[in-house]
Amino acid sequence: MSNTPSTPDVENASLEDRLYTVKYEDPGESHLDVQVVGFCVERCTTDDCVDVCPADVWRKDEDGEPVIAYENCLECGSCRFACPYNNVVWEYPENGSGVTYQYG
Ligand code: SF4
Ligand code: SF4
């Protein structure tokens, strides 16, 4: 029996189904961060990084500090441009790690 997952119906797949087709290689350390620690808590009123991320990478803890699940990042770059304070540090993961798309 093959270990290859069956091909999902990408024409009608939910976002969760589509995310299931994405392969991640954990680079071991985050390629995402914030420029100024504390700014997100003290000054940010929009949380655009949280709202814009399609993979729920950005969340806020109970103190308002960002928690970044970088392992799930789709490398779309949206958080980098959405932050109105230019407070996102965004780099590509190390070579050979990060996201691999199965379709397109
Ligand atoms: S949008 Fe920018 S300033 Fe606001 S929480 Fe996100 S990273 Fe911090
Ligand atoms: S690059 Fe895209 S997927 Fe990755 S954290 Fe930013 S918004 Fe989320």
Side-chain angles (χ1 to χ4, degrees):
M1 184 177 220
S2 169
N3 288 331
T4 305
S6 60
T7 304
D9 180 3
V10 293
E11 295 296 323
N12 300 302
S14 67
L15 177 61
E16 288 74 20
D17 287 342
R18 288 170 186 259
L19 288 173
Y20 187 70
T21 68
V22 175
K23 180 171 168 265
Y24 303 95
E25 186 70 38
D26 186 352
E29 62 182 43
S30 182
H31 61 291
L32 305 166
D33 204 348
V34 292
Q35 302 264 12
V36 180
V37 176
F39 187 96
C40 303
V41 178
E42 295 161 15
R43 300 281 303 280
C44 184
T45 58
T46 62
D47 295 347
D48 290 310
C49 59
V50 176
D51 293 338
V52 78
C53 180
D56 287 337
V57 171
W58 292 82
R59 298 190 183 207
K60 290 288 204 75
D61 68 14
E62 60 272 11
D63 297 322
E65 290 276 6
V67 178
I68 307 170
Y70 69 91
E71 307 92 331
N72 296 332
C73 177
L74 301 171
E75 299 169 28
C76 70
S78 300
C79 54
R80 178 184 187 185
F81 294 102
C83 176
Y85 308 102
N86 198 27
N87 201 32
V88 171
V89 176
W90 197 103
E91 297 173 347
Y92 283 108
E94 293 280 320
N95 280 351
S97 60
V99 68
T100 302
Y101 290 99
Q102 188 171 358
Y103 299 95

